[in-house]
Amino acid sequence: MSSHPIAERRCALTGQTAPKAELLRCALAPDGTLTPDLKQVLPGRGLYLSLGEAKLSEAHASGALLKAAARHYKCAPKKILVPDGFAERISALYVQATLRLMGLERKAGRAFLGADSVNKAGSAGKISVFINAADGAGDSHKFMARAKAADLPVITAFTRAQLSLAFGRENVVHAALAERGGWRNILKYTQSYVRYSAATPSDTDNAGASMLEGKGSL
């Protein structure tokens, strides 16, 4: 059986091509504002970027991003608005999107919160993804070892405060997602966030490549 070719796009700043799913898509709003399109669904011609937050912030400050957008959309730079804090806003959007999806999984009864709940679900083979707070304490090393032994992906990119906000419970350190539901989209957004912001000290390239195969720490 032949597989479908992977769609690729070219970064407007570097000129390098990469799989479309690994690039940040932006769209031009009717008022000329360059707008991040995390879902890659906004209408109009997309502008794709491969740079992380730090480099993109530099490109914005130097005017390189505006010039690239003007070339891409074949218009004068004065007709395009790149908002202040553009690069930083993208990180915030990735976080908001991921935490919102986590909250939906909790409301649907597809999230396990706390070490005891996760242990019980893990013993029953109901877990697809482990989640450990980036600033987790106590028995986090045991939790991570358990996830590794299960050969499942682990999300470590978010703090206790962020996870508590997402799941609507105080001091969430350990959590997991059920096999069914939207866990794949959560992994996808986490992967993009880590790649963009280097949110964890892990090897993000290797983590991104292995994550959907059931391995990796994000």
Side-chain angles (χ1 to χ4, degrees), residues 46-129:
L47 179 148
Y48 291 86
L49 300 170
S50 62
L51 298 182
E53 181 178 341
K55 292 294 185 181
L56 187 57
S57 182
E58 291 177 6
H60 184 192
S62 69
L65 177 58
L66 178 59
K67 291 178 181 178
R71 287 195 304 269
H72 183 77
Y73 289 109
K74 300 179 180 179
C75 65
K78 65 181 181 181
K79 292 187 176 181
I80 295 178
L81 171 65
V82 183
D84 292 340
F86 181 79
E88 295 76 10
R89 176 57 179 162
I90 292 167
S91 279
L93 290 174
Y94 277 130
V95 172
Q96 290 172 9
T98 309
L99 298 185
R100 181 183 65 82
L101 290 176
M102 287 183 181
L104 291 177
E105 291 302 289
R106 180 194 65 80
K107 291 179 181 178
R110 296 190 293 258
F112 308 102
L113 306 179
D116 292 341
S117 178
V118 173
N119 288 340
K120 184 177 180 180
S123 298
K126 296 181 179 180
I127 290 176
S128 60
V129 183

